[in-house]
Amino acid sequence: MNINQEQLSIFKTVMETGSFSAAARKLGKVPSAVSMSISNLEIDLNIQLFKRIGREPIPTQEAKYLYKKTENLLIEINQWKQYALALGTGLESSFNIVIASELIHTQWIKYIQILEKHFPTLEINIFSAPQEDAMKMLMQNEVQFALLFEREMLDHREAFVELFSESITPVSSLDHPLCTLQQITLEQLSQHRQIVVTSRDKTIKPELVFSKDYWRTDHYHLALTLIEQKLGWGFLPQAFLESLIQKEAKHLKVLNIIDFTPNLRYFIDLVWNKETSKGLAGQYLINYARQQRNK
């Protein structure tokens, strides 16, 4: 059996147009070539596809069954060709990006959408991890890119483009002792347990720790639960707070800390390891981010 893409395309077109002559016109072929292709396909398959009664061919039940598979098969063949061509031009076999868990409610999705639009065959894998762990994944080449808050200390291997900014806000449960205070000093804040979203690696000291006593977690949904249950106060991203449904949001209060603004604004960076080469999609994403930054 030696069936090719052209035969399948002709068969599909005959099924859709209802005749050999109409299929020939659509494909830019002579009717005899279409008829011959169908005959050869029937011989290869050992199946009658059309009953040649009257002026127009009538598809058999077998043809109707095969037609359902043919369209998907042609799509897969075209995708395979596009993928092979893309690999030949330098497209990554897969594209891995990690989003800091602090940022999963921000507008990161538009950068994935632009990649999908320009590289529809690209396999994209998206992960989430606390900021420190996400950085570690990047430098260990488990991912090609990371979306991170701005860092106090830069790794000499990293390069980045600023994408947008995000605020983090100190909050507590309405039943927490801090909520009884109209204004809170840093000294008062330090006397109450803080819930910190940070790395799973306990040897890494968390950032933005204000309290003498703190608990660690690696995800903001876990932090939210602990804060709601009066087990501590903590910083939550503004986009995360805004995404909460009303019944959840009303259990929280933004703390009025007199020594700094309630909303600490940080830049969000697209980060990559400059010591590793980038494929076609990676270079495109970097250039796109830079163009957006300069607008």
PDB file of all heavy atoms in Angstrom, residues 183-196:
ATOM      1  N   GLN A 183      -3.204  52.763  62.559  1.00  0.00           N
ATOM      2  CA  GLN A 183      -1.896  52.893  61.934  1.00  0.00           C
ATOM      3  C   GLN A 183      -0.932  51.929  62.610  1.00  0.00           C
ATOM      4  O   GLN A 183      -0.975  51.744  63.834  1.00  0.00           O
ATOM      5  CB  GLN A 183      -1.370  54.328  62.056  1.00  0.00           C
ATOM      6  CG  GLN A 183      -2.172  55.352  61.251  1.00  0.00           C
ATOM      7  CD  GLN A 183      -1.549  56.732  61.337  1.00  0.00           C
ATOM      8  OE1 GLN A 183      -1.112  57.168  62.398  1.00  0.00           O
ATOM      9  NE2 GLN A 183      -1.518  57.437  60.205  1.00  0.00           N
ATOM     10  N   ILE A 184      -0.072  51.331  61.802  1.00  0.00           N
ATOM     11  CA  ILE A 184       0.799  50.270  62.312  1.00  0.00           C
ATOM     12  C   ILE A 184       2.252  50.659  62.069  1.00  0.00           C
ATOM     13  O   ILE A 184       2.631  51.006  60.937  1.00  0.00           O
ATOM     14  CB  ILE A 184       0.493  48.926  61.618  1.00  0.00           C
ATOM     15  CG1 ILE A 184      -0.993  48.567  61.781  1.00  0.00           C
ATOM     16  CG2 ILE A 184       1.382  47.821  62.155  1.00  0.00           C
ATOM     17  CD1 ILE A 184      -1.438  47.432  60.903  1.00  0.00           C
ATOM     18  N   THR A 185       3.050  50.609  63.103  1.00  0.00           N
ATOM     19  CA  THR A 185       4.483  50.868  62.946  1.00  0.00           C
ATOM     20  C   THR A 185       5.194  49.565  62.583  1.00  0.00           C
ATOM     21  O   THR A 185       4.656  48.466  62.778  1.00  0.00           O
ATOM     22  CB  THR A 185       5.092  51.424  64.240  1.00  0.00           C
ATOM     23  OG1 THR A 185       5.022  50.402  65.255  1.00  0.00           O
ATOM     24  CG2 THR A 185       4.335  52.663  64.705  1.00  0.00           C
ATOM     25  N   LEU A 186       6.412  49.693  62.109  1.00  0.00           N
ATOM     26  CA  LEU A 186       7.191  48.496  61.782  1.00  0.00           C
ATOM     27  C   LEU A 186       7.466  47.669  63.032  1.00  0.00           C
ATOM     28  O   LEU A 186       7.518  46.437  62.964  1.00  0.00           O
ATOM     29  CB  LEU A 186       8.504  48.894  61.102  1.00  0.00           C
ATOM     30  CG  LEU A 186       8.401  49.424  59.672  1.00  0.00           C
ATOM     31  CD1 LEU A 186       9.775  49.812  59.137  1.00  0.00           C
ATOM     32  CD2 LEU A 186       7.762  48.378  58.753  1.00  0.00           C
ATOM     33  N   GLU A 187       7.630  48.334  64.157  1.00  0.00           N
ATOM     34  CA  GLU A 187       7.855  47.613  65.411  1.00  0.00           C
ATOM     35  C   GLU A 187       6.630  46.782  65.781  1.00  0.00           C
ATOM     36  O   GLU A 187       6.745  45.621  66.186  1.00  0.00           O
ATOM     37  CB  GLU A 187       8.185  48.600  66.535  1.00  0.00           C
ATOM     38  CG  GLU A 187       8.386  47.954  67.898  1.00  0.00           C
ATOM     39  CD  GLU A 187       9.519  46.937  67.912  1.00  0.00           C
ATOM     40  OE1 GLU A 187      10.482  47.095  67.137  1.00  0.00           O
ATOM     41  OE2 GLU A 187       9.425  45.969  68.698  1.00  0.00           O
ATOM     42  N   GLN A 188       5.442  47.364  65.652  1.00  0.00           N
ATOM     43  CA  GLN A 188       4.207  46.614  65.920  1.00  0.00           C
ATOM     44  C   GLN A 188       4.050  45.456  64.936  1.00  0.00           C
ATOM     45  O   GLN A 188       3.638  44.351  65.317  1.00  0.00           O
ATOM     46  CB  GLN A 188       3.005  47.556  65.840  1.00  0.00           C
ATOM     47  CG  GLN A 188       2.921  48.552  66.977  1.00  0.00           C
ATOM     48  CD  GLN A 188       1.862  49.600  66.765  1.00  0.00           C
ATOM     49  OE1 GLN A 188       1.675  50.087  65.650  1.00  0.00           O
ATOM     50  NE2 GLN A 188       1.137  49.952  67.834  1.00  0.00           N
ATOM     51  N   LEU A 189       4.381  45.723  63.693  1.00  0.00           N
ATOM     52  CA  LEU A 189       4.261  44.686  62.656  1.00  0.00           C
ATOM     53  C   LEU A 189       5.166  43.501  62.969  1.00  0.00           C
ATOM     54  O   LEU A 189       4.781  42.339  62.792  1.00  0.00           O
ATOM     55  CB  LEU A 189       4.634  45.287  61.299  1.00  0.00           C
ATOM     56  CG  LEU A 189       4.273  44.484  60.043  1.00  0.00           C
ATOM     57  CD1 LEU A 189       2.765  44.400  59.873  1.00  0.00           C
ATOM     58  CD2 LEU A 189       4.913  45.125  58.813  1.00  0.00           C
ATOM     59  N   SER A 190       6.342  43.805  63.469  1.00  0.00           N
ATOM     60  CA  SER A 190       7.331  42.748  63.718  1.00  0.00           C
ATOM     61  C   SER A 190       6.922  41.807  64.846  1.00  0.00           C
ATOM     62  O   SER A 190       7.474  40.718  64.990  1.00  0.00           O
ATOM     63  CB  SER A 190       8.688  43.370  64.029  1.00  0.00           C
ATOM     64  OG  SER A 190       8.658  44.024  65.297  1.00  0.00           O
ATOM     65  N   GLN A 191       5.937  42.216  65.665  1.00  0.00           N
ATOM     66  CA  GLN A 191       5.515  41.400  66.795  1.00  0.00           C
ATOM     67  C   GLN A 191       4.507  40.322  66.404  1.00  0.00           C
ATOM     68  O   GLN A 191       4.143  39.477  67.228  1.00  0.00           O
ATOM     69  CB  GLN A 191       4.890  42.294  67.879  1.00  0.00           C
ATOM     70  CG  GLN A 191       5.818  43.382  68.392  1.00  0.00           C
ATOM     71  CD  GLN A 191       7.125  42.827  68.912  1.00  0.00           C
ATOM     72  OE1 GLN A 191       7.150  41.856  69.676  1.00  0.00           O
ATOM     73  NE2 GLN A 191       8.231  43.441  68.495  1.00  0.00           N
ATOM     74  N   HIS A 192       4.056  40.334  65.154  1.00  0.00           N
ATOM     75  CA  HIS A 192       3.036  39.380  64.711  1.00  0.00           C
ATOM     76  C   HIS A 192       3.591  38.488  63.593  1.00  0.00           C
ATOM     77  O   HIS A 192       4.340  38.951  62.722  1.00  0.00           O
ATOM     78  CB  HIS A 192       1.793  40.122  64.214  1.00  0.00           C
ATOM     79  CG  HIS A 192       1.115  40.918  65.275  1.00  0.00           C
ATOM     80  ND1 HIS A 192       0.128  40.384  66.083  1.00  0.00           N
ATOM     81  CD2 HIS A 192       1.299  42.204  65.690  1.00  0.00           C
ATOM     82  CE1 HIS A 192      -0.284  41.314  66.934  1.00  0.00           C
ATOM     83  NE2 HIS A 192       0.408  42.424  66.714  1.00  0.00           N
ATOM     84  N   ARG A 193       3.219  37.235  63.635  1.00  0.00           N
ATOM     85  CA  ARG A 193       3.710  36.255  62.666  1.00  0.00           C
ATOM     86  C   ARG A 193       3.394  36.688  61.229  1.00  0.00           C
ATOM     87  O   ARG A 193       2.301  37.125  60.917  1.00  0.00           O
ATOM     88  CB  ARG A 193       3.106  34.887  62.935  1.00  0.00           C
ATOM     89  CG  ARG A 193       3.630  33.806  61.973  1.00  0.00           C
ATOM     90  CD  ARG A 193       2.888  32.491  62.128  1.00  0.00           C
ATOM     91  NE  ARG A 193       3.035  31.959  63.472  1.00  0.00           N
ATOM     92  CZ  ARG A 193       2.007  31.732  64.288  1.00  0.00           C
ATOM     93  NH1 ARG A 193       0.766  32.002  63.907  1.00  0.00           N
ATOM     94  NH2 ARG A 193       2.210  31.255  65.501  1.00  0.00           N
ATOM     95  N   GLN A 194       4.381  36.526  60.380  1.00  0.00           N
ATOM     96  CA  GLN A 194       4.214  36.850  58.963  1.00  0.00           C
ATOM     97  C   GLN A 194       4.165  35.561  58.146  1.00  0.00           C
ATOM     98  O   GLN A 194       4.903  34.611  58.421  1.00  0.00           O
ATOM     99  CB  GLN A 194       5.371  37.725  58.470  1.00  0.00           C
ATOM    100  CG  GLN A 194       5.255  38.153  57.009  1.00  0.00           C
ATOM    101  CD  GLN A 194       6.400  39.064  56.589  1.00  0.00           C
ATOM    102  OE1 GLN A 194       7.192  39.518  57.418  1.00  0.00           O
ATOM    103  NE2 GLN A 194       6.493  39.326  55.297  1.00  0.00           N
ATOM    104  N   ILE A 195       3.269  35.504  57.162  1.00  0.00           N
ATOM    105  CA  ILE A 195       3.201  34.394  56.213  1.00  0.00           C
ATOM    106  C   ILE A 195       3.977  34.808  54.969  1.00  0.00           C
ATOM    107  O   ILE A 195       3.636  35.810  54.322  1.00  0.00           O
ATOM    108  CB  ILE A 195       1.741  34.049  55.850  1.00  0.00           C
ATOM    109  CG1 ILE A 195       0.907  33.812  57.122  1.00  0.00           C
ATOM    110  CG2 ILE A 195       1.701  32.850  54.917  1.00  0.00           C
ATOM    111  CD1 ILE A 195       1.402  32.684  57.998  1.00  0.00           C
ATOM    112  N   VAL A 196       5.015  34.075  54.643  1.00  0.00           N
ATOM    113  CA  VAL A 196       5.916  34.459  53.551  1.00  0.00           C
ATOM    114  C   VAL A 196       5.848  33.415  52.437  1.00  0.00           C
ATOM    115  O   VAL A 196       6.010  32.214  52.695  1.00  0.00           O
ATOM    116  CB  VAL A 196       7.375  34.577  54.047  1.00  0.00           C
ATOM    117  CG1 VAL A 196       8.285  35.031  52.916  1.00  0.00           C
ATOM    118  CG2 VAL A 196       7.457  35.530  55.228  1.00  0.00           C
TER     119      VAL A 196
END
